[in-house]
């Protein structure tokens, strides 16, 4: 029996409506909500001092240590993933005596999208360096200052498994040594960044163990130091992601594990006249950052002063006395010993 034109037309309309509804659902699922920018009608109030950058964004910061005008050493501190300007890991184990005797001033920032710093939708691996340059100029830090970072830079810095200079056997092994949910999270961030928001908010599959603060990612020392790290964030935990997870956590993943515009292992020594130095610290039992890849970076870039901590995990800077040892090695050139 032949289908009537009326029935056929109705079927096509139903299919079209179904497809439109499906597309609308998919679009809604993969599109992150707008950030709740601090100081806006939908955002939380501004409580931190901020500078206005040349592109109009605001960058929040916090100062501690001796006064800037009296300081012998001025340090810009960059926090790690899912942290904020209050998470100055070196200061947490840096003694008052060392701060005063060396004359140390520290200014820490909220990276874009975190805390009270405006999001930066065009953020790249290089753009943060430009933000730091503007911060130093506006705060009048002078011609020489130091930069220290945690997790995303210098202290147990995250590596990108897709950096082209890594031997495939090393990067592949390190990648598959991760927990399965983290393998998929990084695949999405690298190959399908437009799906990052959906992947990290959907409930069908387990997503990032790091975002979930799963204890499965920690080894011996990190299990011991984890409560200390978590306890330090209790007072300001809500501030970290207050503008939304996409412009903070998810954009971090897309940038850190996306396709970079340069290969870090092609970098040249920025201090070829010995007017400064670059240090890299890494624990050999870090469950987040593979030590074998850090060793390879140190071999490729011999001008980096590489410090490997036996038995150290990702949170090793929170160990007692570690701040003093790191700062003395970094600023004074003392031998780093654990």
């Amino acid at each position: 029996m032949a289908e009537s034109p009326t029935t056929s037309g109705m079927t096509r309309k139903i299919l079209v409506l179904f497809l439109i509804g499906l597309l609308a659902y998919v679009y809604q699922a993969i599109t992150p909500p707008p950030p709740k920018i601090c100081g806006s009608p939908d955002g939380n109030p501004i409580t931190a001092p901020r500078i206005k950058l040349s592109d109009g964004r605001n960058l929040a910061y916090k100062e501690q240590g001796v006064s800037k005008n009296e300081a012998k050493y001025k340090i810009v501190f960059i926090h790690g993933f899912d942290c904020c300007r209050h998470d100055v890991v070196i200061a947490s184990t840096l003694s008052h005596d060392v701060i005063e005797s060396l004359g140390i001033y520290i200014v820490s920032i909220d990276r874009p999208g975190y805390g009270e710093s405006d999001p930066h939708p065009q953020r790249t691996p290089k753009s943060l360096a430009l933000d730091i340059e503007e911060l130093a100029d506006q705060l009048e830090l002078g011609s020489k200052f130091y930069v220290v970072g945690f997790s995303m830079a210098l202290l147990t810095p995250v590596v990108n498994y897709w950096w082209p200079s890594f031997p495939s056997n090393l990067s592949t092994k390190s990648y598959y040594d991760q927990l399965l949910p983290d393998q998929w999270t990084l695949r999405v961030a690298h190959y399908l960044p437009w799906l990052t928001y959906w992947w990290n908010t959907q409930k069908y599959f387990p997503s990032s163990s790091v975002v979930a603060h799963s204890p499965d990612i920690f080894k011996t020392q990190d299990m011991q130091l984890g409560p200390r790290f978590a306890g330090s964030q209790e007072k300001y935990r809500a501030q970290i992601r207050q503008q939304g997870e996409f412009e903070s956590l998810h954009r971090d993943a897309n940038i850190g594990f996306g396709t970079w515009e340069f290969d870090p292992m092609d970098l040249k020594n920025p201090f070829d006249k010995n007017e400064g130095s670059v240090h890299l610290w890494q624990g050999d039992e870090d469950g987040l950052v593979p030590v074998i890849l850090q060793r390879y970076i140190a071999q490729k870039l011999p001008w980096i002063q590489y410090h490997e901590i036996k038995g150290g995990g990702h949170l090793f800077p929170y160990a007692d006395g570690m701040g003093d040892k790191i700062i003395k090695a970094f600023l004074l050139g003392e031998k780093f010993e654990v």
Side-chain angles (χ1 to χ4, degrees):
M1 185 173 64
E3 184 179 25
S4 70
T6 302
T7 303
S8 177
M10 183 64 70
T11 301
R12 283 197 295 271
K13 289 179 180 178
I14 292 173
L15 286 174
V16 168
L17 290 173
F18 173 77
L19 289 174
I20 291 174
L22 180 62
L23 290 173
Y25 171 78
V26 170
Y27 177 79
Q28 185 177 26
I30 67 175
T31 303
K36 296 181 178 180
I37 298 175
C38 289
S40 69
D42 294 331
N44 286 317
I46 298 165
T47 63
R50 307 198 301 179
I51 63 164
K52 185 171 287 291
L53 301 169
S54 58
D55 63 2
R57 289 181 294 114
N58 293 288
L59 192 73
Y61 65 92
K62 175 183 178 180
E63 298 171 293
Q64 57 186 296
V66 304
S67 72
K68 181 174 57 180
N69 294 332
E70 297 174 355
K72 297 177 184 176
Y73 299 99
K74 299 170 185 176
I75 297 174
V76 178
F77 184 85
I78 305 170
H79 68 77
F81 183 81
D82 203 11
C83 295
C84 69
R85 67 187 182 280
H86 299 300
D87 292 297
V88 187
V89 58
I90 54 167
S92 67
T93 56
L94 186 61
S95 67
H96 179 74
D97 288 345
V98 170
I99 291 174
E100 291 294 327
S101 62
L102 295 184
I104 296 173
Y105 159 87
I106 303 173
V107 56
S108 54
I109 64 167
D110 284 331
R111 291 193 291 108
Y114 282 100
E116 297 182 24
S117 287
D118 293 344
H120 187 192
Q122 286 75 46
R123 185 153 58 108
T124 71
K126 288 184 177 181
S127 63
L128 184 60
L130 300 176
D131 290 351
I132 297 300
E133 185 177 19
E134 287 198 56
L135 176 81
D137 288 343
Q138 292 197 38
L139 295 186
E140 299 181 339
L141 298 187
S143 60
K144 183 174 183 177
F145 58 91
Y146 300 80
V147 179
V148 179
F150 173 60
S151 190
M152 299 303 287
L154 303 182
L155 298 174
T156 68
V158 167
V159 296
N160 185 321
Y161 299 93
W162 289 273
W163 285 341
S165 290
F166 279 138
S168 60
N169 61 321
L170 288 185
S171 57
T172 300
K173 179 185 182 306
S174 298
Y175 179 83
Y176 285 105
D177 280 345
Q178 298 180 101
L179 297 175
L180 188 60
D182 296 323
Q183 294 177 31
W184 278 104
T185 297
L186 298 194
R187 279 194 189 101
V188 170
H190 184 77
Y191 295 108
L192 301 167
W194 49 275
L195 272 182
T196 298
Y197 172 75
W198 173 81
W199 177 259
N200 284 284
T201 55
Q202 52 79 33
K203 306 300 181 185
Y204 305 107
F205 310 101
S207 54
S208 172
S209 302
V210 182
V211 172
H213 296 277
S214 169
D216 295 337
I217 59 179
F218 291 136
K219 296 188 179 180
T220 304
Q221 189 193 50
D222 284 337
M223 292 295 290
Q224 297 167 354
L225 297 176
R228 182 177 298 184
F229 169 67
S232 69
Q233 291 189 331
E234 283 183 3
K235 293 182 179 179
Y236 52 84
R237 182 75 212 164
Q239 296 180 31
I240 296 174
R241 308 181 188 183
Q242 65 182 349
Q243 298 187 88
E245 294 188 4
F246 182 76
E247 287 295 347
S248 51
L249 311 185
H250 304 166
R251 196 169 291 284
D252 260 3
N254 286 351
I255 293 170
F257 300 101
T259 300
W260 284 34
E261 58 210 85
F262 66 98
D263 185 340
M265 280 167 278
D266 289 336
L267 294 174
K268 305 300 180 185
N269 185 359
F271 305 114
D272 56 356
K273 296 180 181 178
N274 295 320
E275 69 273 29
S277 58
V278 178
H279 294 247
L280 191 158
W281 277 266
Q282 175 68 36
D284 68 353
E285 292 188 6
D286 190 328
L288 294 179
V289 182
V291 66
I292 60 172
L293 296 185
Q294 299 290 32
R295 290 170 181 164
Y296 185 81
I297 292 172
Q299 291 171 3
K300 287 283 288 183
L301 304 177
W303 45 269
I304 290 179
Q305 297 188 37
Y306 178 65
H307 311 276
E308 189 170 302
I309 296 90
K310 185 173 178 58
H314 194 68
L315 300 178
F316 83 85
Y318 284 93
D320 291 337
M322 192 60 68
D324 287 0
K325 294 175 181 178
I326 291 171
I327 286 300
K328 288 180 178 179
F330 187 43
L331 300 181
L332 305 179
E334 291 189 6
K335 185 176 180 180
F336 181 81
E337 294 180 337
V338 179

